[in-house]
């Protein structure tokens, strides 16, 4: 059972997602920041990383690629310091960071992030996560104009 602070943090993250999807990026950022502060008080690394990841996706959607990359880097830093951290969330963070790196013309770093995420999903054995990470690698090669390589990942 979640305590009151955990419930508020979870609700704030959920509201941030809804606001982001509705295009209200300022409100989404506000809710994500609130969730991050609460998860920080709770010393909950997965919650903190999730809040940073949602903030990263919100900044990305708002066209703030530099801020999004910093959010994903912060989430990755938090996740690397945690003793028990969900690999699927770490893979999601890496994929978000890779998208920013590609936009910032850092294709080699982006590829490394995507390959690491794909490797994590492979080890987890989740078919959905595996398919998503392979699709992300296909998108990477497609963006770079290597359609033959992209097709290999899409198949």
């Amino acid at each position: 059972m979640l305590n009151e602070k955990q419930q508020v943090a979870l609700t704030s993250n959920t509201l941030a997602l809804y606001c982001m999807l509705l295009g209200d990026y300022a409100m989404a950022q506000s809710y994500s920041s609130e969730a991050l502060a609460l998860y920080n008080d709770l010393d909950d690394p997965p919650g903190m990383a999730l809040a940073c990841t949602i903030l990263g996706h919100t900044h990305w959607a708002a066209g703030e690629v530099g801020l999004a990359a910093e959010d994903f880097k912060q989430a990755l830093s938090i996740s690397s310091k945690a003793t028990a951290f969900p690999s699927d969330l770490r893979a999601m963070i890496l994929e978000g960071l890779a998208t920013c790196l590609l936009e910032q013309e850092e294709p080699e770093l982006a590829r490394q992030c995507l390959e690491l995420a794909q490797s994590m999903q492979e080890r987890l054995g989740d078919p959905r996560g595996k398919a998503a990470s392979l699709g992300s690698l296909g998108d990477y090669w497609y963006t770079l104009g290597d359609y033959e390589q992209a097709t290999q990942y899409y198949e």
Side-chain angles (χ1 to χ4, degrees):
M1 184 97 181
L2 299 176
N3 68 37
E4 185 177 336
K5 192 178 271 193
Q6 290 169 319
Q7 289 174 356
V8 172
L10 180 61
T11 300
S12 295
N13 257 350
T14 303
L15 288 169
L17 277 172
Y18 285 129
C19 289
M20 180 188 65
L21 293 172
L22 293 171
D24 190 345
Y25 305 127
M27 187 59 73
Q29 291 168 9
S30 176
Y31 281 123
S32 288
S33 296
E34 178 183 340
L36 180 58
L38 289 167
Y39 283 125
N40 201 7
D41 287 347
L42 291 164
D43 193 29
D44 180 347
M48 292 164 34
L50 181 59
C52 288
T53 302
I54 293 170
L55 197 52
H57 284 293
T58 301
H59 281 128
W60 172 261
E64 299 168 326
V65 178
L67 290 174
E70 291 306 313
D71 295 330
F72 290 123
K73 287 176 185 175
Q74 184 179 359
L76 198 56
S77 175
I78 292 166
S79 75
S80 68
K81 294 174 187 168
T83 52
F85 196 87
S87 292
D88 57 339
L89 178 54
R90 188 173 284 132
M92 183 174 73
I93 295 166
L94 284 165
E95 288 174 1
L97 178 57
T99 302
C100 295
L101 291 170
L102 193 55
E103 183 74 20
Q104 294 175 322
E105 299 184 16
E106 296 280 353
E108 182 58 28
L109 288 174
R111 184 187 57 76
Q112 290 172 11
C113 287
L114 289 171
E115 287 177 349
L116 184 55
Q118 195 278 325
S119 171
M120 289 175 170
Q121 294 291 12
E122 189 76 36
R123 282 193 305 271
L124 287 171
D126 173 29
R128 247 179 20 156
K130 205 165 118 179
S133 66
L134 288 171
S136 294
L137 277 163
D139 292 347
Y140 166 82
W141 289 109
Y142 179 86
T143 301
L144 293 179
D146 190 335
Y147 306 120
E148 187 175 316
Q149 186 77 5
T151 302
Q152 291 176 14
Y153 285 99
Y154 291 142
E155 292 176 343

Short mmCIF file of all heavy atoms in Angstrom, two decimals, residues 36 48-49 51-60 64-79 93-94 96-101 104 106 109:
data_model
loop_
_atom_site.label_atom_id
_atom_site.label_comp_id
_atom_site.label_asym_id
_atom_site.label_seq_id
_atom_site.Cartn_x
_atom_site.Cartn_y
_atom_site.Cartn_z
N LEU A 36 9.16 14.73 -9.14
CA LEU A 36 10.59 14.54 -8.90
C LEU A 36 10.97 14.96 -7.48
O LEU A 36 11.70 14.24 -6.79
CB LEU A 36 11.41 15.33 -9.92
CG LEU A 36 12.92 15.25 -9.80
CD1 LEU A 36 13.40 13.81 -9.88
CD2 LEU A 36 13.58 16.11 -10.89
N MET A 48 12.26 8.77 -9.15
CA MET A 48 12.98 9.95 -9.60
C MET A 48 13.35 9.83 -11.08
O MET A 48 13.19 10.78 -11.85
CB MET A 48 14.24 10.15 -8.74
CG MET A 48 13.95 10.53 -7.31
SD MET A 48 15.31 10.35 -6.11
CE MET A 48 16.77 10.73 -6.99
N ALA A 49 13.85 8.67 -11.46
CA ALA A 49 14.24 8.46 -12.86
C ALA A 49 13.02 8.54 -13.79
O ALA A 49 13.10 9.09 -14.88
CB ALA A 49 14.95 7.13 -13.01
N ALA A 51 10.27 10.26 -13.24
CA ALA A 51 9.87 11.68 -13.34
C ALA A 51 10.79 12.43 -14.30
O ALA A 51 10.33 13.23 -15.11
CB ALA A 51 9.89 12.32 -11.95
N CYS A 52 12.09 12.17 -14.22
CA CYS A 52 13.04 12.80 -15.15
C CYS A 52 12.77 12.37 -16.59
O CYS A 52 12.89 13.17 -17.52
CB CYS A 52 14.48 12.46 -14.77
SG CYS A 52 15.07 13.28 -13.28
N THR A 53 12.42 11.11 -16.77
CA THR A 53 12.13 10.59 -18.11
C THR A 53 10.88 11.25 -18.69
O THR A 53 10.87 11.66 -19.86
CB THR A 53 11.96 9.06 -18.07
OG1 THR A 53 13.17 8.50 -17.54
CG2 THR A 53 11.68 8.48 -19.44
N ILE A 54 9.85 11.38 -17.88
CA ILE A 54 8.63 12.06 -18.34
C ILE A 54 8.94 13.52 -18.66
O ILE A 54 8.49 14.07 -19.68
CB ILE A 54 7.50 11.93 -17.30
CG1 ILE A 54 7.06 10.47 -17.20
CG2 ILE A 54 6.32 12.84 -17.66
CD1 ILE A 54 6.13 10.18 -16.04
N LEU A 55 9.76 14.14 -17.83
CA LEU A 55 10.18 15.52 -18.08
C LEU A 55 10.96 15.60 -19.40
O LEU A 55 10.76 16.53 -20.19
CB LEU A 55 11.02 16.02 -16.91
CG LEU A 55 11.24 17.51 -16.76
CD1 LEU A 55 9.94 18.28 -16.79
CD2 LEU A 55 12.00 17.79 -15.48
N GLY A 56 11.81 14.61 -19.63
CA GLY A 56 12.56 14.57 -20.89
C GLY A 56 11.65 14.46 -22.10
O GLY A 56 11.82 15.17 -23.10
N HIS A 57 10.66 13.58 -22.02
CA HIS A 57 9.71 13.44 -23.13
C HIS A 57 8.90 14.72 -23.32
O HIS A 57 8.59 15.10 -24.45
CB HIS A 57 8.79 12.24 -22.91
CG HIS A 57 9.45 10.93 -23.17
ND1 HIS A 57 9.88 10.52 -24.42
CD2 HIS A 57 9.79 9.92 -22.32
CE1 HIS A 57 10.44 9.34 -24.33
NE2 HIS A 57 10.40 8.94 -23.07
N THR A 58 8.59 15.39 -22.23
CA THR A 58 7.85 16.64 -22.31
C THR A 58 8.70 17.72 -22.98
O THR A 58 8.21 18.43 -23.87
CB THR A 58 7.41 17.10 -20.91
OG1 THR A 58 6.60 16.09 -20.32
CG2 THR A 58 6.61 18.39 -20.97
N HIS A 59 9.96 17.84 -22.56
CA HIS A 59 10.83 18.83 -23.20
C HIS A 59 11.02 18.50 -24.68
O HIS A 59 11.05 19.40 -25.52
CB HIS A 59 12.19 18.89 -22.49
CG HIS A 59 12.15 19.70 -21.23
ND1 HIS A 59 12.61 19.22 -20.02
CD2 HIS A 59 11.70 20.95 -20.98
CE1 HIS A 59 12.44 20.15 -19.08
NE2 HIS A 59 11.89 21.20 -19.65
N TRP A 60 11.14 17.21 -24.99
CA TRP A 60 11.29 16.80 -26.39
C TRP A 60 10.05 17.24 -27.19
O TRP A 60 10.17 17.81 -28.27
CB TRP A 60 11.49 15.29 -26.48
CG TRP A 60 11.45 14.80 -27.88
CD1 TRP A 60 10.40 14.21 -28.53
CD2 TRP A 60 12.50 14.88 -28.85
NE1 TRP A 60 10.73 13.92 -29.83
CE2 TRP A 60 12.01 14.32 -30.05
CE3 TRP A 60 13.79 15.36 -28.81
CZ2 TRP A 60 12.78 14.23 -31.21
CZ3 TRP A 60 14.57 15.27 -29.97
CH2 TRP A 60 14.05 14.71 -31.14
N GLU A 64 12.33 21.30 -27.03
CA GLU A 64 13.48 21.69 -26.20
C GLU A 64 14.43 20.51 -26.08
O GLU A 64 14.55 19.88 -25.03
CB GLU A 64 13.00 22.17 -24.83
CG GLU A 64 12.08 23.38 -24.93
CD GLU A 64 11.35 23.68 -23.63
OE1 GLU A 64 11.01 22.74 -22.88
OE2 GLU A 64 11.11 24.86 -23.37
N VAL A 65 15.14 20.23 -27.17
CA VAL A 65 15.96 19.02 -27.28
C VAL A 65 17.10 19.02 -26.26
O VAL A 65 17.38 17.99 -25.64
CB VAL A 65 16.50 18.86 -28.71
CG1 VAL A 65 17.40 17.64 -28.83
CG2 VAL A 65 15.36 18.78 -29.70
N GLY A 66 17.76 20.15 -26.07
CA GLY A 66 18.86 20.22 -25.11
C GLY A 66 18.41 19.91 -23.69
O GLY A 66 19.08 19.17 -22.96
N LEU A 67 17.27 20.48 -23.30
CA LEU A 67 16.73 20.20 -21.96
C LEU A 67 16.31 18.74 -21.85
O LEU A 67 16.51 18.10 -20.80
CB LEU A 67 15.54 21.12 -21.66
CG LEU A 67 15.87 22.60 -21.45
CD1 LEU A 67 14.59 23.41 -21.32
CD2 LEU A 67 16.76 22.79 -20.24
N ALA A 68 15.72 18.22 -22.91
CA ALA A 68 15.31 16.81 -22.91
C ALA A 68 16.51 15.91 -22.71
O ALA A 68 16.47 14.97 -21.90
CB ALA A 68 14.59 16.46 -24.21
N ALA A 69 17.61 16.19 -23.42
CA ALA A 69 18.82 15.37 -23.28
C ALA A 69 19.33 15.41 -21.85
O ALA A 69 19.72 14.37 -21.29
CB ALA A 69 19.90 15.85 -24.24
N GLU A 70 19.32 16.59 -21.23
CA GLU A 70 19.77 16.70 -19.83
C GLU A 70 18.86 15.91 -18.90
O GLU A 70 19.35 15.27 -17.96
CB GLU A 70 19.83 18.18 -19.41
CG GLU A 70 20.93 18.95 -20.09
CD GLU A 70 22.31 18.30 -19.95
OE1 GLU A 70 22.68 17.91 -18.83
OE2 GLU A 70 23.01 18.17 -20.98
N ASP A 71 17.56 15.94 -19.16
CA ASP A 71 16.62 15.16 -18.33
C ASP A 71 16.92 13.66 -18.44
O ASP A 71 16.96 12.96 -17.42
CB ASP A 71 15.17 15.42 -18.76
CG ASP A 71 14.73 16.85 -18.53
OD1 ASP A 71 15.22 17.49 -17.58
OD2 ASP A 71 13.87 17.32 -19.30
N PHE A 72 17.13 13.19 -19.67
CA PHE A 72 17.42 11.77 -19.86
C PHE A 72 18.77 11.39 -19.24
O PHE A 72 18.90 10.31 -18.65
CB PHE A 72 17.38 11.39 -21.35
CG PHE A 72 16.00 11.42 -21.94
CD1 PHE A 72 15.73 12.21 -23.03
CD2 PHE A 72 14.97 10.64 -21.41
CE1 PHE A 72 14.45 12.24 -23.59
CE2 PHE A 72 13.70 10.67 -21.95
CZ PHE A 72 13.44 11.47 -23.06
N LYS A 73 19.75 12.28 -19.33
CA LYS A 73 21.05 12.02 -18.71
C LYS A 73 20.91 11.94 -17.19
O LYS A 73 21.53 11.09 -16.55
CB LYS A 73 22.06 13.09 -19.10
CG LYS A 73 22.53 12.97 -20.52
CD LYS A 73 23.47 14.12 -20.89
CE LYS A 73 23.84 14.07 -22.36
NZ LYS A 73 24.65 15.24 -22.75
N GLN A 74 20.11 12.84 -16.62
CA GLN A 74 19.87 12.80 -15.18
C GLN A 74 19.18 11.50 -14.78
O GLN A 74 19.55 10.86 -13.79
CB GLN A 74 19.03 14.00 -14.74
CG GLN A 74 18.83 14.06 -13.22
CD GLN A 74 18.02 15.27 -12.78
OE1 GLN A 74 17.59 16.10 -13.57
NE2 GLN A 74 17.80 15.36 -11.48
N ALA A 75 18.20 11.09 -15.56
CA ALA A 75 17.49 9.83 -15.28
C ALA A 75 18.46 8.65 -15.35
O ALA A 75 18.42 7.75 -14.50
CB ALA A 75 16.34 9.64 -16.27
N LEU A 76 19.33 8.67 -16.34
CA LEU A 76 20.30 7.59 -16.50
C LEU A 76 21.29 7.58 -15.33
O LEU A 76 21.63 6.52 -14.81
CB LEU A 76 21.04 7.76 -17.83
CG LEU A 76 21.77 6.56 -18.37
CD1 LEU A 76 20.83 5.37 -18.53
CD2 LEU A 76 22.41 6.90 -19.71
N SER A 77 21.71 8.76 -14.90
CA SER A 77 22.62 8.86 -13.75
C SER A 77 21.97 8.30 -12.49
O SER A 77 22.59 7.55 -11.73
CB SER A 77 23.02 10.32 -13.55
OG SER A 77 23.80 10.46 -12.38
N ILE A 78 20.72 8.66 -12.27
CA ILE A 78 19.98 8.15 -11.11
C ILE A 78 19.87 6.64 -11.19
O ILE A 78 20.10 5.93 -10.21
CB ILE A 78 18.58 8.80 -11.03
CG1 ILE A 78 18.69 10.29 -10.69
CG2 ILE A 78 17.71 8.07 -9.99
CD1 ILE A 78 17.41 11.07 -10.91
N SER A 79 19.55 6.14 -12.38
CA SER A 79 19.35 4.69 -12.52
C SER A 79 20.65 3.92 -12.32
O SER A 79 20.64 2.81 -11.81
CB SER A 79 18.74 4.36 -13.89
OG SER A 79 19.70 4.46 -14.92
N ILE A 93 14.88 4.97 -20.96
CA ILE A 93 15.68 6.18 -20.78
C ILE A 93 16.73 6.28 -21.88
O ILE A 93 16.93 7.35 -22.49
CB ILE A 93 16.35 6.19 -19.39
CG1 ILE A 93 15.30 6.26 -18.28
CG2 ILE A 93 17.34 7.34 -19.27
CD1 ILE A 93 15.84 5.94 -16.89
N LEU A 94 17.42 5.17 -22.15
CA LEU A 94 18.45 5.16 -23.19
C LEU A 94 17.86 5.49 -24.56
O LEU A 94 18.48 6.22 -25.35
CB LEU A 94 19.13 3.79 -23.23
CG LEU A 94 20.13 3.52 -22.11
CD1 LEU A 94 20.46 2.03 -22.04
CD2 LEU A 94 21.39 4.35 -22.30
N GLY A 96 15.19 7.36 -25.15
CA GLY A 96 14.89 8.79 -25.16
C GLY A 96 16.15 9.62 -25.36
O GLY A 96 16.17 10.57 -26.16
N LEU A 97 17.22 9.24 -24.66
CA LEU A 97 18.49 9.96 -24.81
C LEU A 97 19.01 9.81 -26.24
O LEU A 97 19.50 10.78 -26.83
CB LEU A 97 19.52 9.44 -23.80
CG LEU A 97 20.91 10.06 -23.86
CD1 LEU A 97 20.86 11.58 -23.70
CD2 LEU A 97 21.82 9.43 -22.80
N ALA A 98 18.90 8.62 -26.81
CA ALA A 98 19.38 8.40 -28.18
C ALA A 98 18.66 9.31 -29.17
O ALA A 98 19.28 9.85 -30.09
CB ALA A 98 19.18 6.93 -28.56
N THR A 99 17.37 9.49 -28.99
CA THR A 99 16.60 10.36 -29.88
C THR A 99 17.15 11.79 -29.83
O THR A 99 17.32 12.44 -30.87
CB THR A 99 15.11 10.36 -29.47
OG1 THR A 99 14.63 9.01 -29.52
CG2 THR A 99 14.27 11.21 -30.39
N CYS A 100 17.47 12.25 -28.63
CA CYS A 100 18.03 13.60 -28.48
C CYS A 100 19.42 13.69 -29.10
O CYS A 100 19.75 14.66 -29.77
CB CYS A 100 18.11 13.98 -27.00
SG CYS A 100 16.52 14.14 -26.18
N LEU A 101 20.24 12.67 -28.84
CA LEU A 101 21.60 12.67 -29.37
C LEU A 101 21.61 12.68 -30.89
O LEU A 101 22.43 13.35 -31.53
CB LEU A 101 22.38 11.47 -28.85
CG LEU A 101 22.72 11.50 -27.36
CD1 LEU A 101 23.26 10.15 -26.90
CD2 LEU A 101 23.70 12.61 -27.05
N GLN A 104 20.89 16.07 -32.00
CA GLN A 104 22.03 16.95 -31.72
C GLN A 104 23.27 16.55 -32.54
O GLN A 104 24.37 17.00 -32.25
CB GLN A 104 22.37 16.91 -30.22
CG GLN A 104 21.29 17.51 -29.35
CD GLN A 104 21.59 17.37 -27.86
OE1 GLN A 104 22.12 16.36 -27.41
NE2 GLN A 104 21.24 18.39 -27.11
N GLU A 106 24.84 13.63 -32.88
CA GLU A 106 25.75 12.72 -32.18
C GLU A 106 25.34 11.28 -32.51
O GLU A 106 24.97 10.51 -31.63
CB GLU A 106 25.68 12.95 -30.67
CG GLU A 106 26.14 14.30 -30.21
CD GLU A 106 27.65 14.42 -30.13
OE1 GLU A 106 28.35 13.41 -30.30
OE2 GLU A 106 28.11 15.54 -29.90
N LEU A 109 26.99 8.12 -30.56
CA LEU A 109 26.50 7.95 -29.19
C LEU A 109 25.05 7.47 -29.18
O LEU A 109 24.67 6.65 -28.35
CB LEU A 109 26.63 9.27 -28.41
CG LEU A 109 28.03 9.69 -28.02
CD1 LEU A 109 28.00 11.08 -27.38
CD2 LEU A 109 28.65 8.69 -27.06
#
